[in-house]
Amino acid sequence: MRILFLTQVLPYPLDAGPKTRAYFVLRYLSQHHEVTLLSFVRKSDAAEAIDHLRSFCRQVIVEPMARSPWKDAGYMVKSLALHRPFLIERDASAAMTRRIETLAHTTPAFDAVHADQLWMAPYALHFCKAAAQQGKRPLGVLDQHNAVFMIPQRMADAERNPLKRTLMQLEARKLASFEVETCRRFDHVIWVTYEDHAAVQAEAARRGREVPNDGVLPICGDPEAIAPIVRAAQARRVTFLGGLHYPPNAQGVLWFAREIFPLVLREVPDAILTVIGKQPPSELAALHIPTRNLEIAGYVENPTPYLAETGAFIVPLLAGGGMRVKIIDGWTWGLPIVSTRIGAEGVNAVHGENILLADAPAPFARSVVDLLTNPELNERIACGGRRTALERYNWRVVYGGWDRIYTGSPHSDNRTGAVTP
């Protein structure tokens, strides 16, 4: 088939969860179909990344996206006035719409349009409408990485500022309505987790509706191609890795630093909280953690030296949706992980086997301390995680599930977690 694949972020390099998902789906589909990638790009995206994607896509077309606090303020006002979700309004681009309309008139026609995440769904639907006017209506496919409305909803639950909490609750309500109606307009919707589909379907049921469910395909990596990290003995880093421009990540790392890490230091005074990710919150450096116990690394292209000194890899999230790819990465690297249950949603996490789970400060701190001071436990959790990555999150096996959407071929593999309804 000729597939038009739409992404909100350039899916390379693999330094964020959405990129990982889109990249390996692209890799799989391009082995069997003719795929054109149309993606937004930022100033930081390198030409080398685009060249890499061109090595397996038939064509890569990019459209610049520029963001700023001033623009976001304008989108917020527009969102409130039009009662549209801010997160969708912010990505509305006349230039991208023109690209879509041009491609809808190409010959030969595209057989399918693949929207990667909810942000690109309006463009995919616009493409279907424009192409249908030419008598060549394509198949519409939506890859739902998250139940998006759950993200502001959960952030509101943990927010102390009344104004921020009210705005987050409003955004969650608008997103819930938008998400239900958008999913219903696609021919096929693939979900990343069971929990995401259940959450959106519950919202649909409240409106007397039903959303499509063409199965669950988890986010996968390439664990066979990556050797586990060789770690130092008595490693003392407590490492968080993730983009801190993403509000749930910033919220979670601040919660850990304020309420959990002081409890860790009481028992392991040489522990080092290591925060890796772009745009770390300024509040982090103002928490009076001794400088010898805190390293804010910012964005790091190759985090391997930090990971080699990591005794506990943390995912202290209080909000979010979909899967946390940082857990799949941590398992692939052979790192022992401590996470909240929200942080571990959607993955095959088994407490005491491949991860330690805790939702309150004291038990979370206890789990981190145990990993730092008990080598046998540390090794057992690390090995269990690595085994899970190899068995359940290998794109070369799991993503055969896409064949059912694009070729009609059935695919089911209970060993990998790929699901067909």
Side-chain angles (χ1 to χ4, degrees):
M1 298 180 72
R2 297 184 75 245
I3 301 171
L4 177 62
F5 196 106
L6 309 178
T7 61
Q8 193 250 13
V9 292
L10 192 71
Y12 195 78
L14 306 183
D15 53 11
K19 293 185 176 187
T20 298
R21 170 64 163 198
Y23 177 81
F24 286 114
V25 174
L26 263 177
R27 284 277 301 273
Y28 184 83
L29 292 179
S30 67
Q31 292 178 350
H32 307 277
H33 306 280
E34 186 180 281
V35 183
T36 293
L37 171 65
L38 172 58
S39 179
F40 281 115
V41 291
R42 281 69 170 170
K43 288 183 179 179
S44 58
D45 289 320
E48 292 82 1
I50 297 172
D51 288 342
H52 173 76
L53 294 166
R54 284 182 174 136
S55 70
F56 55 88
C57 292
R58 177 184 178 275
Q59 187 178 13
V60 176
I61 307 168
V62 297
E63 184 61 46
M65 172 189 283
R67 284 184 175 163
S68 73
W70 293 108
K71 287 186 176 182
D72 284 355
Y75 292 132
M76 178 61 74
V77 171
K78 191 174 181 181
S79 167
L80 293 170
L82 299 178
H83 201 69
R84 279 172 55 85
F86 164 75
L87 293 176
I88 301 301
E89 196 63 43
R90 184 177 61 172
D91 282 355
S93 163
M96 179 61 83
T97 300
R98 287 193 294 271
R99 292 271 195 182
I100 286 289
E101 291 173 347
T102 298
L103 288 167
H105 291 79
T106 59
T107 302
F110 286 98
D111 303 299
V113 57
H114 180 116
D116 180 73
Q117 300 196 83
L118 188 67
W119 332 117
M120 300 309 290
Y123 295 111
L125 293 171
H126 187 74
F127 179 86
C128 288
K129 181 179 179 180
Q133 292 172 349
Q134 307 298 311
K136 47 186 180 183
R137 202 285 192 185
L139 191 71
V141 179
L142 174 61
D143 187 357
Q144 271 283 79
H145 291 214
N146 305 281
V148 182
F149 79 93
M150 292 289 290
I151 299 172
Q153 182 172 296
R154 284 172 165 172
M155 290 191 68
D157 293 341
E159 180 56 57
R160 298 176 183 177
N161 183 298
L163 177 59
K164 288 183 178 180
R165 183 168 59 250
T166 299
L167 289 173
M168 289 174 184
Q169 290 169 339
L170 177 61
E171 177 73 359
R173 289 195 296 271
K174 290 188 291 185
L175 272 169
S177 178
F178 178 86
E179 200 157 6
V180 167
E181 294 308 314
T182 298
C183 287
R184 285 172 49 81
R185 296 176 64 189
F186 278 84
D187 299 300
H188 299 287
V189 181
I190 285 287
W191 304 83
V192 164
T193 74
Y194 298 99
E195 292 88 345
D196 291 331
H197 173 256
V200 177
Q201 178 53 44
E203 287 295 317
R206 289 177 52 210
R207 298 164 170 80
R209 304 294 185 90
E210 186 172 345
V211 294
N213 177 16
D214 290 278
V216 174
L217 291 172
I219 298 176
C220 293
D222 197 3
E224 293 179 3
I226 300 172
I229 300 289
V230 178
R231 293 185 295 133
Q234 296 183 326
R236 282 294 182 265
R237 289 192 186 275
V238 179
T239 302
F240 177 91
L241 189 154
L244 292 153
H245 60 292
Y246 180 54
N249 282 345
Q251 179 192 58
V253 80
L254 284 169
W255 175 66
F256 179 86
R258 286 183 182 127
E259 301 190 33
I260 300 171
F261 194 54
L263 303 179
V264 173
L265 289 178
R266 290 180 189 175
E267 297 192 52
V268 189
D270 60 342
I272 304 170
L273 174 57
T274 305
V275 180
I276 304 172
K278 64 181 178 180
Q279 298 180 27
S282 57
E283 302 98 309
L284 195 57
L287 290 179
H288 305 296
I289 298 173
T291 55
R292 67 180 180 277
N293 298 114
L294 176 64
E295 185 166 356
I296 304 172
Y299 178 79
V300 176
E301 187 169 342
N302 178 16
T304 301
Y306 294 101
L307 302 179
E309 298 174 353
T310 293
F313 189 78
I314 57 169
V315 186
L317 296 192
L318 304 174
M323 284 175 60
R324 256 54 69 191
V325 177
K326 58 177 63 68
I327 288 184
I328 308 303
D329 288 340
W331 281 344
T332 298
W333 292 323
L335 301 177
I337 301 174
V338 185
S339 176
T340 58
R341 283 172 175 79
I342 285 178
E345 270 184 353
V347 298
N348 192 49
V350 182
H351 176 70
E353 291 186 16
N354 56 19
I355 200 167
L356 298 180
L357 299 172
D359 291 322
F364 202 113
R366 181 74 263 159
S367 295
V368 172
V369 169
D370 287 346
L371 289 179
L372 295 178
T373 59
N374 185 335
E376 182 180 341
L377 173 67
N378 190 298
E379 183 68 11
R380 186 175 82 242
I381 298 300
C383 289
R386 171 72 180 179
R387 186 165 55 250
T388 302
L390 288 167
E391 292 176 353
R392 291 185 172 268
Y393 299 101
N394 184 340
W395 75 274
R396 299 175 191 278
V397 178
V398 176
Y399 285 174
W402 287 105
D403 292 343
R404 182 171 41 82
I405 302 299
Y406 284 108
T407 67
S409 302
H411 175 89
S412 178
D413 190 335
N414 293 330
R415 178 177 64 84
T416 63
V419 176
T420 54

